[in-house]
């Protein structure tokens, strides 16, 4: 495929008016939405006086109202029944959600957005309020606060997020459903993921192969970008803080008639790199920008174009004389179209991505050409998706086909200096309701030209036992295909005295995940969620010592080790008391390498988070946020030898960390807002935590103008 930035028509959550009176006469369409969030309700049933189903709402919440039907009821799982006394047409019906149904969404197959309450898996959604409350300009600053998620430094300069014990290549990180740059060389860095134009971040815990394919053994992080605003809006933020923190971003957005646009650009830097335990000449600087265009040709046909780019420089002291540098530059985009017709909703998307990685070094603060590993590595990825969603009776069917072409150019690191791959995927997923229960059943088949094929099913249910209690269970198979670096990539570190050699005979990792949970909405002041989870992995790919090579370097090989397992219990409490929103979460994790019966490295058994947020009636509004997060002690485990003569063993312990973050935001006028805060107010940095986690005070000024009606 060409390098033309790709296209996408996202599922458009139409801005909907308030509830309209149901007094219109005649026939027509009724759009069924939730009264809490104004999002469409799919599969809502129109029933007559004896309970017979007359019609169901489609994938956009549209319900066809027969001409001769007057008295009837509208019912949907998770919502209170609504009784209608008269025939209606071309109107809006807003259903009241039950207390266990939170206004939370997740993106599923074909980029269709569903309610988290319709998913049998655990989904945590962080919206724009959460992002602002954490003053998080990069995703890692926010995600590390969620119980069950841990930020793991990956030297020299990357940071990854572990979900329930699985990290890095086993957590799929997406932007609007597409992978972030750097995946082909394992250069994915969650700290590179900007939140400047984010509407929300969806975190799905557990395998999601049916929805997203490979790499989602631990779960999926999907950053959903905000749509163009209906009114002309301009905003900008400048922030400064300790540890060399400097940030600035600006954006403009508007919808004129059928055409909408959003443009965002930002810059940020810190004098620390998460993965490096060093100070002095350390630097992490990122520039990024995004353009989003959307056009509604008609009520049935919509188009979207989204393009974004990132440039990053990371610098850190290698020794007393030299600095190491990593320069990354990436760009990606998609073109998407959606059409409502032929009984359902069709979506077509074409996506393209380019990424370049280069390591250099020098004695000064600027790298010297030809220094270090100056051979640049380049990645290319293109994908085409065709998806279809349709409501058939009580069933909502999603089906689709996706084709991907991948290429890596890495001179002197892979045979022939380059490597290509072709991946074909087909999936189908059925979601249906039976009484007070909602069921999902799906399967995806993936065929890769380098490593073979994998078929992965999933099955789950959510049952509404009462208005205030629901339970859910899920069984899913996940997999991770061997990456280019695993198969045919040779990495040599002369100064470190080792080399890592790829293995063309690797098999895909495979997993089975089981989870059972429950939700209880005791009152407006207390809600409780509990879940038990268990994931077992076979053929886990790991790096093991092989021999001392002819050059005197230690030689390591990538191999499929026997088994690994993660399991645990997660508990979340939330509520509202005297105008203060509060939440407490805790996750207990057991993560082990079952081949050698040792813990997985850097996985803490205990993570917890408590948060208080309140809007005070002071001037034009003062918001305060207090968050405490705890990450327990975690073992550091060696890799071990290939022949088993030197098994993996615990070599050190990463200390337990308690971080308290504080922030306030004060509206100075209708357009200006002042904010200030401190991260890690107690200034804790236990053993094996880097200086990037030190205490950091900051302040910011935001300006926002929105045209009035």
């Amino acid at each position: 495929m060409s390098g033309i930035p790709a296209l996408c028509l996202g599922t458009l959550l139409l801005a909907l008016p308030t509830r309209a009176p149901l007094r219109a006469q005649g026939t027509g369409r009724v759009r069924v939405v939730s009264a809490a969030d104004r999002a469409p309700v799919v599969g809502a049933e129109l029933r007559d006086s004896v309970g017979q189903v007359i019609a169901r709402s489609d994938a956009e919440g549209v319900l066809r109202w027969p001409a001769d039907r007057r008295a009837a009821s509208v019912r949907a799982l998770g919502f209170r029944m609504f009784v209608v006394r008269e025939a209606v047409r071309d109107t809006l019906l807003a259903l009241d959600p039950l207390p266990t149904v939170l206004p939370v969404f997740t993106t599923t197959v074909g980029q269709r957005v569903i309610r988290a309450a319709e998913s049998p898996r655990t989904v945590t959604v962080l919206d724009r309020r959460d992002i602002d409350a954490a003053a998080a300009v990069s995703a890692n600053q926010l995600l590390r606060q969620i119980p069950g998620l841990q930020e793991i430094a990956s030297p020299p300069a990357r940071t990854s997020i572990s979900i329930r014990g699985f990290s890095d290549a086993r957590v799929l990180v997406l932007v609007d459903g597409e992978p972030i740059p750097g995946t082909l060389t394992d250069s994915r860095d969650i700290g590179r993921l900007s939140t400047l134009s984010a509407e929300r971040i969806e975190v799905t815990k557990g395998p999601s192969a049916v929805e997203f394919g490979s790499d989602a053994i631990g779960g999926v992080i999907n950053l959903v970008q905000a749509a163009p605003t209906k009114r002309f809006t301009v905003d900008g933020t400048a922030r400064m803080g300790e540890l060399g923190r400097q940030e600035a971003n600006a954006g403009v957005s508007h919808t004129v008639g059928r055409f909408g646009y959003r443009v965002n650009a930002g810059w940020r830097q810190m004098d620390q790199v998460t993965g490096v335990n060093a100070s002095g000449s350390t630097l992490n600087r990122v520039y990024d920008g995004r353009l989003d265009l959307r056009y509604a040709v008609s009520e049935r046909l919509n188009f979207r174009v989204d393009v974004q780019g990132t440039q990053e420089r990371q610098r850190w002291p290698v020794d007393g004389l030299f600095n190491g540098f990593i320069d990354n530059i990436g760009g990606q985009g998609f073109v998407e179209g959606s059409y409502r017709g032929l009984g359902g909703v069709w979506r077509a998307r074409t996506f393209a991505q380019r990424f370049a990685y280069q390591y250099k070094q020098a004695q000064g603060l600027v790298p010297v050409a030809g220094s270090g590993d100056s051979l640049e590595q380049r990645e290319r990825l293109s994908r085409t998706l065709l998806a279809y969603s349709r409501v058939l009776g009580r069933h909502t069917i999603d089906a689709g086909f996706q084709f991907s072409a991948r290429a890596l150019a890495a001179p002197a690191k892979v045979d022939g200096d380059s490597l290509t791959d072709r991946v074909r995927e087909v999936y189908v997923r059925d979601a249906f309701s039976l009484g007070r229960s909602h069921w999902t059943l799906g399967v995806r088949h993936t065929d890769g030209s380098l490593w073979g094929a994998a078929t992965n099913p999933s099955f789950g249910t959510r049952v509404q036992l009462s208005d205030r209690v629901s339970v859910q269970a899920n069984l899913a198979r996940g997999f991770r295909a061997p990456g280019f670096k695993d198969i045919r990539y040779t990495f040599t570190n002369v100064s470190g005295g080792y080399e890592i050699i790829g293995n063309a005979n690797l098999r895909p990792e495979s997993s089975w995940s089981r989870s059972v949970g429950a939700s209880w909405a005791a009152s407006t002041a207390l809600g409780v969620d509990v879940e038990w989870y268990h994931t077992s992995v076979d053929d886990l790919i790991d790096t093991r010592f092989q021999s001392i090579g002819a050059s005197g370097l230690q030689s390591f090989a990538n191999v499929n080790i026997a088994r690994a397992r993660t399991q645990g219990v997660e508990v979340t409490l939330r509520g509202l008391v005297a105008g203060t929103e509060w939440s407490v979460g805790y996750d207990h994790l057991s993560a082990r390498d079952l081949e050698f019966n040792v813990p997985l490295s850097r996985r803490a058994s205990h993570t917890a988070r408590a948060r208080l947020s309140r809007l005070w009636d002071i001037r034009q509004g003062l918001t305060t946020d207090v968050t405490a997060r705890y990450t327990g002690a975690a073992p550091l485990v060696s890799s071990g030898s290939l022949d088993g003569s030197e098994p993996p063993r615990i070599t050190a312990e990463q200390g337990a960390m308690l971080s308290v973050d504080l922030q306030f935001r004060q509206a100075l006028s209708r357009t200006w807002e002042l904010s200030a805060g401190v991260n890690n107010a107690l200034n804790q940095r236990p053993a094996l935590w880097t200086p990037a986690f030190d205490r950091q005070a900051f302040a910011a000024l935001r300006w926002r103008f929105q045209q009035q009606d």
Side-chain angles (χ1 to χ4, degrees), residues 124 126 139-140 143-144 146 149-150 160-163 166 168 170-180 190 193 200-206 208 212 215-216 218-224:
T124 300
L126 305 168
N140 63 308
L143 294 170
R144 64 194 181 198
I146 301 176
L149 274 65
Q150 300 177 43
S160 65
I161 294 293
S162 165
I163 299 181
F166 294 102
D168 211 14
R170 296 165 190 90
V171 171
L172 188 59
V173 182
L174 309 170
V175 177
D176 281 332
E178 302 295 349
I180 63 173
I190 197 72
L193 188 58
R200 65 184 187 271
I201 301 178
E202 306 166 346
V203 180
T204 302
K205 299 175 181 178
S208 303
F212 298 105
D215 299 351
V220 178
I221 296 169
N222 185 29
L223 187 147
V224 180

Side-chain angles (χ1 to χ4, degrees), residues 414-436:
V414 298
D415 295 339
D417 293 341
S418 64
L419 193 59
T420 60
D421 186 18
R422 301 289 185 271
V423 180
R424 297 171 179 83
E425 301 174 87
V426 61
Y427 66 83
V428 62
R429 181 178 184 270
D430 180 18
F432 58 95
S433 297
L434 292 174
R436 299 179 71 90

Side-chain angles (χ1 to χ4, degrees), residues 303-316:
F303 288 99
R304 178 182 172 191
V305 178
D306 192 291
V307 181
Q308 52 194 301
T310 302
Q311 183 177 14
E312 177 184 40
R313 164 158 290 180
Q314 296 169 318
R315 182 183 67 222
W316 68 96

Side-chain angles (χ1 to χ4, degrees), residues 101-162:
V101 180
L102 300 178
V104 170
F105 301 92
T106 181
T107 305
T108 182
V109 288
Q111 311 312 309
R112 184 172 70 88
V113 176
I114 66 172
R115 299 179 188 280
E118 298 172 17
S119 171
R121 296 166 302 166
T122 296
V123 179
T124 300
V125 176
L126 305 168
D127 60 19
R128 192 68 234 181
R129 291 192 312 159
D130 297 308
I131 296 171
D132 292 339
V137 72
S138 60
N140 63 308
Q141 299 171 0
L142 184 63
L143 294 170
R144 64 194 181 198
Q145 298 184 1
I146 301 176
L149 274 65
Q150 300 177 43
E151 185 173 10
I152 298 179
S154 302
R158 292 186 293 117
T159 181
S160 65
I161 294 293
S162 165

Side-chain angles (χ1 to χ4, degrees), residues 98-102 117 464 466-470 519-521 574:
L98 298 176
T100 56
V101 180
L102 300 178
Q464 193 75 41
S466 70
D467 286 359
R468 296 188 176 274
V469 179
S470 67
S519 297
W520 175 41
R574 64 186 180 278

Side-chain angles (χ1 to χ4, degrees), residues 234-245:
V234 182
D235 61 52
T237 301
R239 183 180 287 113
M240 296 186 67
E242 295 179 294
L243 307 181
R245 182 173 183 176

Side-chain angles (χ1 to χ4, degrees), residues 543-546 556 596 637-642 644 646-649:
T543 303
R544 295 291 166 86
F545 175 73
Q546 183 172 253
F556 291 81
F596 294 100
V637 182
S638 63
S639 61
S641 62
L642 186 62
E646 185 179 335
R649 59 188 179 86

